[in-house]
Amino acid sequence: MTDKPNSVLGSDDKTTDDSTKTGSGQAPSPESSVPQPTARFAAMGGGLRPDVRILGLLGVLLLLCVVGYLTSDGLFLTEGNISTVLRLSAAIGVVSIGMTFVIATGGIDLSVGSMVALSSVWMTTVATQSFGFGMMVVCGLVVGLAAGLINGILVSYGKVVPFIATLAMMASARGLAERISGRQTQVVTEQDFLSFFRGDFLGIPVLIWIFAVVFAVGWVLLNRTTFGRRTLAVGGNPEASRLAGINVKRHLAMVYGLAGLCCGIAAIMVVARTTSGAASNGLLYELDAIAAVVIGGTLLSGGRASMFGTLIGVLIFTVLGNIFTLNNLETDIQNIAKGVIIVIAVLLQYRTLNTNRTT
């Protein structure tokens, strides 16, 4: 007897309708056990009333903006400061988009910061820069993609727990970056690279345009494609997804590869902003990315994700850091505040899940 998957997996999965019926009736689909939301439900971030979560996050962001304005003598809302906030959020925002897909599968990636560092170092070596602007970009993307695929292969085919696999990559990628750079900062001498990525288009910095494009592609990929539906299905119930015809191992490898590619893009943005590549780039990006994704409503257990929520989560943490900077407050207090926000977000997630189960 062959089971028939439902529409959450996409129309290109194989089905055999003629063999699903028996004399007593139709067999249940293996995917009926997958606790998958609809595309809109997943896009907005969950709960029985998905709009409420996004509105709540927007309310928190607005409140932080008011606090920033009141505590900085109006400096917070100046054009220069707003541009700074958006520039700072661009790189970590791209990393968080990749992290959203990983966490949506029920996994985790602790190596994103190290992959950013490795990509930034490799693309700024003298040998790479000697080939010009294009080679630097290609090198950053390829290195990030390759590191992400290694994570995916270890997790899916090697059956290594995501925490351990990405922890190993976090250490080795950072170490390799130090080895390549000799623990020295590598200055970008390719002026075409700097002119393009540090420039503006229609009055908006190119880095912000890149973030906007990556976000748009990520949203479409998650909510309007078979890849996104399969990502949520794998996160909701991997075994049922496998029985329904999804190649779970290959899909997981692709998801981690996508996260690595996002790290490569982020490395290009970091190099453009700092005009250098260093093994210290991307430090603690993994914590900021995980925090933004969790705040945005993506379940740590997988099966539900919100790209809009991730975007707002990134802005919340960037604005919070900017407020601390404008008021000359210590970074340790900022880290404490981040930790408290993460704990509250996780508690709210589990409370929402328990409420939904009981109703």
Side-chain angles (χ1 to χ4, degrees):
M1 180 174 62
T2 304
D3 294 301
K4 180 181 178 181
N6 61 25
S7 60
V8 74
L9 299 178
S11 58
D12 59 341
D13 290 309
K14 295 181 179 179
T15 59
T16 54
D17 295 340
D18 295 337
S19 60
T20 56
K21 295 184 179 180
T22 63
S24 58
Q26 186 173 0
S29 165
E31 270 225 294
S32 61
S33 62
V34 181
Q36 282 305 313
T38 61
R40 180 176 179 273
F41 185 90
M44 299 306 295
L48 294 177
R49 294 170 296 175
D51 291 339
V52 174
R53 179 182 293 275
I54 298 299
L55 291 176
L57 290 173
L58 287 173
V60 172
L61 180 59
L62 179 61
L63 179 62
L64 284 175
C65 291
V66 172
V67 171
Y69 176 78
L70 294 177
T71 59
S72 62
D73 297 326
L75 293 176
F76 179 82
L77 292 181
T78 60
E79 182 179 351
N81 188 65
I82 292 176
S83 178
T84 298
V85 169
L86 293 177
R87 287 174 185 267
L88 291 175
S89 65
I92 187 61
V94 171
V95 172
S96 299
I97 290 170
M99 184 70 78
T100 300
F101 284 93
V102 171
I103 295 181
T105 65
I108 198 75
D109 192 342
L110 302 178
S111 64
V112 291
S114 297
M115 289 192 290
V116 169
L118 179 60
S119 298
S120 71
V121 166
W122 211 317
M123 66 181 288
T124 55
T125 60
V126 175
T128 304
Q129 292 193 60
S130 65
F131 287 98
F133 168 31
M135 181 55 69
M136 291 179 64
V137 173
V138 171
C139 183
L141 297 178
V142 170
V143 170
L145 176 61
L149 285 175
I150 292 174
N151 281 336
I153 292 171
L154 289 174
V155 171
S156 57
Y157 294 96
K159 296 183 179 180
V160 182
V161 177
F163 181 89
I164 299 300
T166 58
L167 183 64
M169 177 60 74
M170 179 179 71
S172 57
R174 186 79 65 179
L176 182 57
E178 292 178 349
R179 182 75 174 180
I180 293 174
S181 64
R183 298 188 177 183
Q184 301 294 321
T185 299
Q186 299 175 162
V187 178
V188 177
T189 58
E190 177 56 45
Q191 294 302 314
D192 290 340
F193 177 90
L194 296 177
S195 298
F196 180 80
F197 287 104
R198 292 175 67 86
D200 296 341
F201 178 68
L202 299 178
I204 300 175
V206 170
L207 295 183
I208 299 176
W209 279 111
I210 295 175
F211 180 28
V213 170
V214 174
F215 170 78
V217 172
W219 186 91
V220 171
L221 194 61
L222 179 65
N223 300 292
R224 293 292 184 268
T225 67
T226 301
F227 182 88
R229 292 191 292 271
R230 289 178 175 178
T231 298
L232 297 176
V234 169
N237 193 321
E239 181 60 20
S241 300
R242 184 187 66 82
L243 293 174
I246 294 178
N247 189 329
V248 175
K249 292 182 178 180
R250 183 178 64 188
H251 190 82
L252 284 176
M254 292 171 62
V255 167
Y256 281 90
L258 176 63
L261 181 61
C262 288
C263 290
I265 297 173
I268 295 172
M269 301 167 77
V270 170
V271 169
R273 193 181 75 238
T274 62
T275 69
S276 63
S280 59
N281 284 341
L283 195 62
L284 298 181
Y285 268 24
E286 54 276 357
L287 298 183
D288 289 342
I290 293 171
V293 173
V294 172
I295 287 293
T298 299
L299 287 183
L300 284 170
S301 56
R304 189 184 74 191
S306 171
M307 201 59 71
F308 276 115
T310 296
L311 172 63
I312 300 174
V314 169
L315 292 176
I316 285 175
F317 280 108
T318 307
V319 168
L320 182 64
N322 183 252
I323 292 174
F324 276 79
T325 301
L326 290 177
N327 290 277
N328 296 318
L329 297 177
E330 298 293 335
T331 56
D332 54 354
I333 301 177
Q334 178 181 341
N335 292 332
I336 293 173
K338 285 183 178 181
V340 172
I341 293 174
I342 294 171
V343 171
I344 293 175
V346 173
L347 290 176
L348 288 176
Q349 277 192 1
Y350 283 106
R351 181 179 178 182
T352 301
L353 283 177
N354 292 331
T355 301
N356 291 342
R357 290 191 184 115
T358 56
T359 58

